Amino acid sequence: MMETERLVLPPPDPLNLPLRALEVGCTGRWELLNVPGAPESTLPHGLPPCAPDLQQEAEQLFLSSPAWLPLHGVEHSARKWQRKRDPWSLLAALGAPVPSDLQAQRHPTTGQILGYKEVLLENTNLSATTSLSLRRPPGPASQSLWGNPTQYPFWPGGMDEPTITDLSTREEPEEEIDFEKDLLTVPPGFKKGVDFGPKDHQAPVPGLLSLSCLLEPLDLSGGDEDESEASGGPGADTALASPCSTPLVRASSLEDLVLQEASTIVSPLEPPKPPPQEQWAVPVDVTSPVGDFYRLIPQPAFQWAFEPDVFQKQAILHLEQHDSVFVAAHTSAGKTVVAEYAIALAQKHMTRTIYTSPIKALSNQKFRDFRNTFGDVGLLTGDVQLHPEASCLIMTTEILRSMLYSGSDVIRDLEWVIFDEVHYINDAERGVVWEEVLIMLPDHVSIILLSATVPNALEFADWIGRLKRRQIYVISTVARPVPLEHYLFTGNSPKTQGELFLLLDSRGAFHTKGYYAAVEAKKERMSKHAQTFGAKQPTHQGGPAQDRGVYLSLLASLRARAQLPVVVFTFSRGRCDEQASGLTSLDLTTSSEKSEIHLFLQRCLARLRGSDRQLPQVLHMSELLRRGLGVHHSGILPILKEIVEMLFSRGLVKVLFATETFAMGVNMPARTVVFDSMRKHDGSTFRDLLPGEYVQMAGRAGRRGLDPTGTVILLCKGRVPEMADLHRMMMGKPSQLQSQFRLTYTMILNLLRVDALRVEDMMKRSFSEFPSRKDSKAHEQALAELTKRLGALEEPDVTGQLADLPEYYSWGEELTETRNMIQRHIVESVNGLKSLSTGRVVVVRNEEHHNALGVILQVSSNSTSRVFTTLVLCDKPVVSENPRDKGSATPDVPHPDDLVGFKLFLPEGPCEHTVVKLQPGDVAAISTKVLRVNGEKIAEDFSRRQQPKFRKDPPLAAVTTAVQELLRLAQAHPSGPPTLDPVNDLQLKDVSVVEGGLRARKLEELIRGAQCVHSPRFPAQYLKLRERMQIQKEMERLRFLLSDQSLSLLPEYHQRVEVLRTLGYVDEAGTVKLAGRVACAMSSHELLLTELMFDNALSTLRPEEIAALLSGLVCQSPGDPGDQLPSTLKQGIERVRAVAKRIGEVQVACGLNQTVEEFVGELNFGLVEVVYEWARGMPFSELAGLSGTPEGLVVRCIQRLAEMCRSLRGAARLVGEPVLGAKMETAATLLRRDIVFAASLYTQ
């Protein structure tokens, strides 16, 4: 009874429990104690006081208990204090920091202050809008990821960051004059001035013979020995020595001395020795094993379940040393292992890694793979931003370029940037982005380049090494891990339906026997009119019915050989769909596989709305996938492409019909690859596949660890391709990495807004300028040596009778250049080439012959590079006496007869002849004389006499007659035979030829009237002048190569800057104005979008109308906008075209090559109605009837349009247009819905 009563007692109140809450210290931590009488706090004076909450106090006084307020005159109870207005406080700005400080200079021993010196201070008031230094403080947290278009980028690596001293010397320094050494003695414009030197030793007048110098060798002075000792003693002043102090050879007469001076030999100009080559690209040997790998790296940052290959270990060793590497490996060799180790290494170092890819789909796939491996991985694309704080960020290269230009603070923590699929730099449209990013990366960032095998990997790495001033280690694989076998498939006749003709085996040997067997099989089948996949004629292509039969037989054969899965590459989206749809009777999956495919489809499609699940493409693809077939191209919806890729990677898709994009970086190998054709359309014309394209797609065959070899099959439609074409495609070298660098307005504006960076520096460092800029160090050293050599040369005498010597030299050089220009026009003209026929007498001038007469014997039939077989007079056999002939035939000092005429070569001894092959440039003049010769007979006789046993045979009579005729002609016209006039005889009416002929005649008159040639000292002074002028010319050439003027894109840069200046984006000084800063925020079509914004062409439209108009800037499929558009959209289209036309006209006026029609033609308004209805809420299933554009292209257009709306929203906020910014935000929201913006399956 007592226990029952105890059970029914109510629980004690919480306040009555024997517990006490005790605050431990002042950290806010509490403990519960069941000790009665415990203290309330461990602090000596109890709990610290706390101020009451102001909000609660205000609510209690003014809202909860208003009783204290008076009943009447409430207005008197409120008190306020009038603030004194100070408008000038709005204009107050913080003072600029002091750029310098005064530093005391003290005596080193006594410490006495000797004076004060102004010292420039570094790092004063650094900010993201004033400095490129990494020492500047970080920007706001909201801009840490993307940066801001108004911020400066960080200083690019490889460029010399200017110091305070450099910046101070850029300004105009005050001229400091030394009044003892720097005073001029010759007034500007004068040839001579006043000599303020000592008058003790009078020097002879330059240009006149010194009598004392001439008499000194004759020993006629009879002077005192003491005087000679005094003058020649060790204390003599060498600076005042006369020119005649140099030792002269003893002579017996004045005439000999004059002749010795005239025959002074000037050493020819020798090129300076090049400096030792700098090796920036270091090839790594991957043939020898890395035995001490685990000793060098006892605790690797990442470990795999398999043993890495040799090339992977070599790359990892260099990554541990923080080196930059370029891994050019075969397809499926395992380049991703290098990227994975770099990511793990960055996580170990607590830094960040950026992984860039050329396409968005590859970014999504790598995000899934790396997230499963590392976890801490983020994704940044145009429309997705996942985990931006992660240590590894995956993005497209365009986003990384935007972050670099905008000064993102992510770059501070960056250790590695991984460029995947670097061979994508050859893309004409987007290749420039790779070069921009590589140039703009800061110095502390290391680079990892992953690429397929390319022939010029060392050259590309050398460019990056010189660019970043660090060594790049090039690691290449020797062979594929899974070798390939290439076959031909000729048809589906009963006899050969399962026969494959081996063309290229796994060892790389080309089998001609298999090729001829395929040709015979094709001919036999056509002769019997057997069943073929093509038409009866070999040149026609097969239709869908024939294709269906071929693929059914081929796939049945491959299935019997267990060579599935297979990827069929077809270079047309329409043919992909047709071929997959035609195989209605083919079912390659088991019941369990069908169930797995069905469940996967249901799970993936559950995220779509009901109408989107019933789209025709979704239903058709679901039916194909259940039978093991798939289609993959740009016209497929993105979510369906991802479903196909995931099912293919699981082995559930047995046959995949895909276009070339499937081979770009997607690591999804198959057992077999089939080429539907070896020809593709590249946007302008049909052509054969390039070796690099073929290798990229064929590399999908062969799964590492599963297949011993990969199988590649080429379908022969109509006829078997030529053996040479197959050999070139299969065994040719892949395409080289080529620069696609071009100037864009965004690049120019982003660099112009930063004073320390120049567009010229960006152009200098581009891959296109690398061949001409890689020898800059050698050019600088050569220029320094030539400058030193020029200073040591003696000035030529140009006084008196030699006053016109410089003009004479320049006249001769100009006459030679003018004649060469005229001769180039002659040999390039039709009439000029016609005149160079058999029997024509010409003047030959090349390295072996100088103004020698010759007669043309034969003319090659090749129209692109003509070769003239010519009989030429010579002194002795050219083979044995070539150096002496060349030395004696070239005059050292040209006289007027040498310059005005040709001064034909005349043999000194017996006349000899030779037969040579001449290029058009070797013909110095075409004479009016034509000889009757038997060219073939003379050439055969000369060739026969070159053999040892016939060498002493006499020449034929035809040869002797031709030689005698040429010799007689040379003796009759020693100054050159009569030549064909380019204007009158050859009918050349080019302005440059006519003006060149007139100028040549004028120069000949000037040369004949020169007075310097009559001076006895003319030869010696001419040689001195020529050596000086040659050195100066070489120095000018080197300075030009080192200057900005040698940049190939410099004229276009000036033209584009003029366009920006005309449109008001930059001012006359090159400062970027507001419109230019707005254009920097645009990702594409920067000029057109900025002009539309500043013209208020978008502000009056509704959001859906703005989105519809802007679709013309991102749509890639041309088409007509249609007649059903609202009038507002029609007017908007015309206004956009008018603005584009105005910009195009400005570009043409400034000299750019792009015409107005080409610029306006870049706009495609074919999807205006589709985008307009989509923004108004129409379901995607109803959009198919509005346009014939594939669904995948429609989705891509809308996605790019949403990105453009966001960039316009940011630009509107920058310019202060809140209304337009709100409209662009609304437009982006209207576009982002349903299947178009369904989340990627790789990110879930």
Side-chain angles (χ1 to χ4, degrees), residues 193-213:
V194 182
D195 185 9
F196 295 97
K199 303 298 183 182
D200 298 338
H201 301 277
Q202 184 174 0
V205 180
L208 298 180
L209 293 177
S210 173
L211 185 60
S212 61
C213 289

Side-chain angles (χ1 to χ4, degrees), residues 128-270:
T129 57
T130 60
S131 173
L132 291 85
S133 174
L134 285 167
R135 294 188 294 269
R136 73 191 191 196
S142 59
Q143 301 177 1
S144 61
L145 178 64
W146 298 104
N148 192 297
T150 61
Q151 292 182 358
Y152 279 14
F154 293 107
W155 191 263
M159 294 187 187
D160 291 326
E161 188 170 357
T163 61
I164 292 294
T165 307
D166 297 335
L167 294 176
S168 62
T169 55
R170 285 186 180 181
E171 301 178 357
E172 290 294 333
E174 296 183 2
E175 188 175 3
E176 297 182 0
I177 300 177
D178 188 346
F179 288 93
E180 295 182 359
K181 299 180 180 179
D182 296 341
L183 289 178
L184 299 178
T185 60
V186 180
F190 282 57
K191 292 185 177 179
K192 294 189 297 183
V194 182
D195 185 9
F196 295 97
K199 303 298 183 182
D200 298 338
H201 301 277
Q202 184 174 0
V205 180
L208 298 180
L209 293 177
S210 173
L211 185 60
S212 61
C213 289
L214 295 175
L215 295 179
E216 183 181 356
L218 300 179
D219 201 16
L220 300 176
S221 61
D224 252 346
E225 293 183 2
D226 297 337
E227 294 178 3
S228 63
E229 290 177 2
S231 62
D237 189 0
T238 58
L240 299 177
S242 63
C244 63
S245 60
T246 57
L248 296 177
V249 181
R250 294 283 178 176
S252 58
S253 66
L254 295 177
E255 185 178 358
D256 293 341
L257 290 176
V258 175
L259 293 177
Q260 287 177 9
E261 182 186 358
S263 60
T264 302
I265 298 177
V266 181
S267 60
L269 178 61
E270 298 179 358

Side-chain angles (χ1 to χ4, degrees), residues 1097-1118:
L1098 305 176
S1099 301
T1100 59
L1101 301 176
R1102 298 195 304 272
E1104 58 270 19
E1105 295 172 343
I1106 297 176
L1109 282 181
L1110 295 181
S1111 67
L1113 280 67
V1114 297
C1115 177
Q1116 296 178 340
S1117 56

Side-chain angles (χ1 to χ4, degrees), residues 519-530 532 536 538:
V519 172
E520 292 300 323
K522 193 72 174 177
K523 288 182 179 178
E524 179 184 359
R525 187 165 59 258
M526 287 183 176
S527 63
K528 295 180 180 180
H529 301 287
T532 65
K536 299 296 172 58

Side-chain angles (χ1 to χ4, degrees), residues 22-101:
L22 174 65
E23 183 185 15
V24 180
C26 56
T27 60
R29 191 164 62 87
W30 294 77
E31 291 185 4
L32 289 178
L33 302 178
N34 57 358
V35 180
E40 294 183 354
S41 175
T42 58
L43 298 178
H45 302 287
L47 294 175
C50 60
D53 188 9
L54 295 179
Q55 182 178 358
Q56 294 181 358
E57 183 180 5
E59 291 178 354
Q60 183 177 3
L61 288 177
F62 296 98
L63 299 178
S64 303
S65 54
W68 63 276
L69 292 175
L71 297 178
H72 307 285
V74 182
E75 66 277 1
H76 298 292
S77 62
R79 291 176 293 174
K80 63 179 180 179
W81 292 266
Q82 186 67 30
R83 181 174 61 88
K84 184 178 180 181
R85 296 179 180 178
D86 185 13
W88 294 103
S89 63
L90 301 176
L91 304 177
L94 295 177
V98 180
S100 62
D101 192 9

Side-chain angles (χ1 to χ4, degrees), residues 574-600:
R575 290 185 63 81
C576 275
D577 296 332
E578 291 176 3
Q579 291 163 356
S581 303
L583 303 178
T584 54
S585 60
L586 187 63
D587 193 346
L588 301 174
T589 56
T590 62
S591 57
S592 60
E593 291 175 337
K594 292 182 189 297
S595 174
E596 186 177 354
I597 293 173
H598 175 75
L599 294 176
F600 184 79

Side-chain angles (χ1 to χ4, degrees), residues 903-1109:
K903 196 177 181 181
L904 294 180
F905 160 77
L906 288 174
E908 297 177 357
C911 183
E912 293 289 342
H913 64 275
T914 182
V915 175
V916 296
K917 294 184 180 296
L918 301 179
Q919 301 294 331
D922 298 332
V923 179
I926 306 174
S927 73
T928 58
K929 186 71 174 176
V930 179
L931 302 181
R932 297 185 62 180
V933 295
N934 189 339
E936 294 184 3
K937 191 174 181 181
I938 294 175
E940 290 175 0
D941 175 70
F942 182 81
S943 176
R944 183 181 65 86
R945 285 186 287 113
Q946 298 307 303
Q947 302 177 15
K949 62 178 179 178
F950 302 116
R951 185 163 295 168
K952 295 183 179 181
D953 290 0
L956 294 178
V959 179
T960 306
T961 303
V963 171
Q964 290 177 352
E965 189 67 24
L966 289 176
L967 184 59
R968 185 190 62 79
L969 190 61
Q971 292 172 348
H973 304 280
S975 297
T979 59
L980 295 177
D981 186 84
V983 178
N984 298 327
D985 298 331
L986 299 178
Q987 302 299 316
L988 295 183
K989 304 300 183 183
D990 190 79
V991 177
S992 59
V993 175
V994 177
E995 292 180 350
L998 297 175
R999 180 59 181 166
R1001 285 192 284 272
K1002 178 66 175 176
L1003 291 171
E1004 291 173 2
E1005 296 177 2
L1006 293 172
I1007 290 174
R1008 287 193 183 98
Q1011 296 298 319
C1012 60
V1013 295
H1014 303 298
S1015 172
R1017 292 176 290 109
F1018 166 72
Q1021 300 304 321
Y1022 182 88
L1023 292 177
K1024 293 180 181 179
L1025 177 65
R1026 185 172 66 181
E1027 183 182 14
R1028 175 174 289 273
M1029 298 303 292
Q1030 287 177 350
I1031 293 178
Q1032 291 179 352
K1033 184 178 180 180
E1034 179 66 14
M1035 291 173 62
E1036 291 178 1
R1037 186 186 72 86
L1038 294 176
R1039 288 195 185 101
F1040 174 77
L1041 292 177
L1042 293 172
S1043 67
D1044 297 339
Q1045 303 304 317
S1046 62
L1047 296 172
S1048 58
L1049 292 176
L1050 189 66
E1052 182 186 350
Y1053 166 62
H1054 291 312
Q1055 293 164 358
R1056 291 189 179 272
V1057 171
E1058 186 61 29
V1059 171
L1060 296 174
R1061 189 176 292 115
T1062 305
L1063 295 175
Y1065 288 63
V1066 297
D1067 59 12
E1068 294 297 329
T1071 305
V1072 180
K1073 301 168 70 173
L1074 178 60
R1077 295 186 179 276
V1078 172
C1080 289
M1082 307 296 180
S1083 56
S1084 62
H1085 296 279
E1086 51 276 358
L1087 294 188
L1088 184 55
L1089 287 173
T1090 306
E1091 290 297 305
L1092 290 174
M1093 179 183 295
F1094 278 82
D1095 287 351
N1096 290 326
L1098 305 176
S1099 301
T1100 59
L1101 301 176
R1102 298 195 304 272
E1104 58 270 19
E1105 295 172 343
I1106 297 176
L1109 282 181

